Amino acid sequence: MRVVIAEDNVLLAGGLEAMLAAKGFEVAAVVPDAEAFLGAVAEHRPDIAVVDVRLPPSFRDEGIHAALRARREHGALPILVLSQYVERDYAGKLLSDGRGGIGYLLKDRIGRVAEFVDALHRVAAGGTAMDPEVVAQLLARRGGDPLDTLTARERESLALMAQGHDNATIAERMRISDNAVHKHIGNIFAKLGLAPDDSGHRRVRAVLAYLDGTPRPPEQGNPR
């Protein structure tokens, strides 16, 4: 799998490159800023890109804007964005185009190599990988609504689903059967007033939009 990395921190960029190479990825380019990233994507046509949220020159949200532009110009290029802190607005921007192949993780997750590599594969395949801390903050800020009616197991299922995990992974992590997961998720969608949907990224968008208290845009086209 061919990867382009956009990261201005030399040590982190070098560590990412070495780790991904050791895990069988082909690192086509490692670049320090948004313009170089867009050029590398056009040149190498990677299968996935890893992009820091804050890149030179202003270190604000250049990485997010470069990621969105790359997806517009290169057929919804799968992108995993890295951030030092939880910034919900950035996650919303990434999800706003309604297509899969999006990840948003805190940089601390890189040290959990197996989880990080799994997230890369999931995003490259068109899925979604949202950081558990983002999901936890969204869950914590909602109160006095249908979330309060969820059982403990349903809330656990909801958190894993919002992170982008499929039913099989949820079942494995919760140590329950696939049928139990399916039942929990059915109950969750019913209690939250969301239409049942098994199409991966679309259901993640629905759940995250609900947790963030923002209306979902109308769905168009076929689910990915």
Side-chain angles (χ1 to χ4, degrees):
M1 187 183 301
R2 187 186 296 262
V3 185
V4 165
I5 299 171
E7 171 58 63
D8 66 289
N9 183 303
V10 175
L11 291 177
L12 180 56
L16 270 172
E17 182 178 15
M19 183 260 282
L20 293 179
K23 292 297 180 180
F25 292 84
E26 177 188 349
V27 180
V30 181
V31 297
D33 57 58
E35 286 303 315
F37 164 67
L38 292 169
V41 168
E43 178 182 355
H44 298 288
R45 300 288 177 156
D47 300 301
I48 188 170
V50 179
V51 184
D52 188 359
V53 164
R54 300 172 185 264
L55 293 172
S58 70
F59 295 96
R60 291 182 179 177
D61 55 2
E62 287 88 348
I64 288 290
H65 290 294
L68 294 174
R69 179 176 167 185
R71 280 172 65 81
R72 288 194 304 269
E73 296 178 354
H74 300 284
L77 169 70
I79 291 183
L80 179 61
V81 170
L82 300 176
S83 180
Q84 190 71 39
Y85 309 103
V86 174
E87 297 171 277
R88 294 194 315 270
D89 290 346
Y90 294 158
K93 287 180 181 179
L94 290 168
L95 290 164
S96 64
D97 69 1
R99 295 178 288 184
I102 282 294
Y104 180 90
L105 297 180
L106 295 181
K107 289 184 177 180
D108 291 348
R109 302 290 166 194
I110 298 172
R112 304 177 185 183
V113 176
E115 291 183 19
F116 184 73
V117 170
D118 175 68
L120 274 175
H121 282 293
R122 196 157 72 245
V123 171
T128 307
M130 302 304 295
D131 197 279
E133 286 299 319
V134 176
V135 177
Q137 285 200 18
L138 292 175
L139 279 168
R141 70 189 283 258
R142 292 295 300 266
D145 62 20
L147 279 178
D148 296 335
T149 69
L150 300 182
T151 67
R153 296 298 261 175
E154 287 168 356
R155 289 179 69 90
E156 187 177 355
S157 300
L158 174 66
L160 290 168
M161 180 169 58
Q163 290 166 34
H165 295 297
D166 59 21
N167 287 12
T169 303
I170 294 173
E172 179 181 354
R173 294 198 175 196
M174 294 180 63
R175 298 183 180 180
I176 58 178
S177 69
D178 289 345
N179 285 339
V181 172
H182 185 76
K183 181 178 178 181
H184 287 325
I185 291 175
N187 289 341
I188 290 166
F189 273 78
K191 290 178 180 180
L192 300 187
L194 297 170
D197 198 327
D198 289 328
S199 57
H201 176 71
R202 183 178 284 185
R203 80 177 187 180
V204 171
R205 287 179 59 231
V207 171
L208 289 173
Y210 178 87
L211 293 178
D212 201 28
T214 57
R216 282 191 299 160
E219 303 286 3
Q220 297 179 351
N222 295 323
R224 290 187 52 158

